[in-house]
Amino acid sequence: MNPGEVTDTLICVTLHVCSMFTAVIGIDTNVERAVAQARTVARIPNADESVTAILLHDFSENPKGGTVEQVKSVRRARDILEEVGIEVQLEGTSGDASEAIIRSAEEHDADRIVLAGRKRSPVGKALLGSVTQAVILNTERPVLVCSTDDEAAE
């Protein structure tokens, strides 16, 4: 290079941005659905560095004072998530499940709500309603609905 000569230099810098991602995961008592939900969240890129999973179980009735740690599906989901390095928090509530999920998502400013759908007939959905439907219709947050491997294959 000669004195006074101007050259263009391109410098490439790679930044690893680790923004936190919070997912509220509504877990019922079905272990297969809980496993599907946990595996879906575990597949989020860089999940071990950036994801916090709030596992929420709503007891419709809890006369014996059970805790969320006693629910097998919650324990299984927690184990899968912790196995891949995801931070897990457990929450137990009583009352309306859809309202509890939405409230938790708001309290934690969740980036996503993760639910497991149930295979149901169109008539069953119309007559019985569902937690998944109620959450989707009553939140402005993104909702990811997972299915078990058996349901996905059908």
Side-chain angles (χ1 to χ4, degrees):
M1 187 163 98
N2 297 326
E5 185 179 339
V6 178
T7 62
D8 291 327
T9 304
L10 177 63
I11 300 173
C12 294
V13 178
T14 302
L15 296 176
H16 178 70
V17 179
C18 224
S19 61
M20 291 306 296
F21 181 92
T22 302
V24 169
I25 307 171
I27 306 277
D28 64 12
T29 57
N30 184 286
V31 174
E32 287 181 44
R33 288 193 292 268
V35 166
Q37 290 170 278
R39 286 183 177 157
T40 298
V41 172
R43 289 186 199 114
I44 294 172
N46 300 317
D48 61 329
E49 299 172 12
S50 61
V51 174
T52 297
I54 313 297
L55 302 185
L56 173 73
H57 178 77
D58 186 77
F59 295 90
S60 54
E61 293 182 20
N62 192 8
K64 295 182 181 180
T67 65
V68 68
E69 291 87 0
Q70 294 172 311
V71 180
K72 184 177 182 179
S73 55
V74 172
R75 290 193 316 267
R76 184 67 181 112
R78 179 197 59 206
D79 292 347
I80 290 168
L81 294 168
E82 288 180 343
E83 202 171 275
V84 297
I86 294 174
E87 179 185 336
V88 177
Q89 297 174 24
L90 303 181
E91 286 187 12
T93 61
S94 291
D96 181 271
S98 62
E99 289 175 8
I101 291 166
I102 293 168
R103 186 173 47 254
S104 180
E106 289 171 0
E107 288 170 1
H108 293 284
D109 194 24
D111 299 288
R112 177 122 341 125
I113 297 171
V114 181
L115 303 173
R118 295 180 185 191
K119 189 171 181 180
R120 301 170 67 183
S121 70
V123 173
K125 288 178 187 174
L127 294 176
L128 303 174
S130 75
V131 170
T132 302
Q133 261 184 319
V135 171
I136 290 169
L137 294 173
N138 293 299
T139 188
E140 293 183 14
R141 296 183 187 278
V143 178
L144 174 60
V145 180
C146 307
S147 61
T148 64
D149 291 337
D150 292 342
E151 292 173 339
E154 292 178 4

